[in-house]
Amino acid sequence: MENGAVYSPTTEEHPTTARGARSGLAAYCFLGRLKWHRRTLKVLQLDFYITLGIGCVFLLASIIFVSTHDRTSAELAATVFGFLASSVFLFDFFIMVHEKRQESQLRKPETTTRAEALTEPLTA
């Protein structure tokens, strides 16, 4: 153990940079590392953004399809479906935003408006 032999670069025969699913972006996205209640919360957060994304994609696709279709009955039904689907997804997103704001307001403690009550002695 002389001359720095203790400080070898590694003790493995063939070192690798990535070690399974816990490296890089996969470590962040891998839900197995979380406990079950955290997993559920993470999936609900993903649902929030997925709903917004799908609603916007349907709306954009419907607008593009309306401007390029040939006015057949099948194309008209497809555009009506696209606008209805996008409106339902976006409505669901706004309901989620409203519920999330209500939850955050319920968690906030009430503020006291009377500051003089805090300075009065309890024996008075």
Side-chain angles (χ1 to χ4, degrees):
M1 299 284 170
E2 294 178 20
N3 299 331
V6 176
Y7 302 108
S8 63
T10 182
T11 56
E12 298 175 2
E13 282 186 38
H14 305 288
T16 60
T17 56
R19 296 175 192 246
R22 298 196 185 269
S23 64
L25 186 60
Y28 178 75
C29 296
F30 182 61
L31 293 178
R33 67 184 170 80
L34 300 173
K35 296 190 185 298
W36 68 270
H37 63 280
R38 293 274 184 162
R39 254 184 251 165
T40 306
L41 182 64
K42 186 87 167 169
V43 169
L44 290 177
Q45 288 173 350
L46 286 175
D47 184 42
F48 183 74
Y49 295 112
I50 288 171
T51 304
L52 175 64
I54 289 174
C56 291
V57 165
F58 269 138
L59 183 64
L60 180 66
S62 298
I63 290 171
I64 291 171
F65 194 62
V66 162
S67 65
T68 60
H69 73 81
D70 293 331
R71 303 203 193 297
T72 64
S73 62
E75 290 174 338
L76 182 62
T79 57
V80 169
F81 172 78
F83 281 114
L84 286 176
S86 62
S87 64
V88 168
F89 274 107
L90 293 175
F91 180 71
D92 187 32
F93 171 74
F94 288 120
I95 288 174
M96 284 190 223
V97 168
H98 181 70
E99 288 174 355
K100 195 174 258 194
R101 283 190 179 177
Q102 283 183 341
E103 283 180 16
S104 66
Q105 287 176 356
L106 290 175
R107 291 182 189 169
K108 291 181 183 175
E110 293 184 20
T111 57
T112 57
T113 56
R114 292 180 23 179
E116 68 274 11
L118 296 175
T119 58
E120 292 178 8
L122 295 175
T123 58

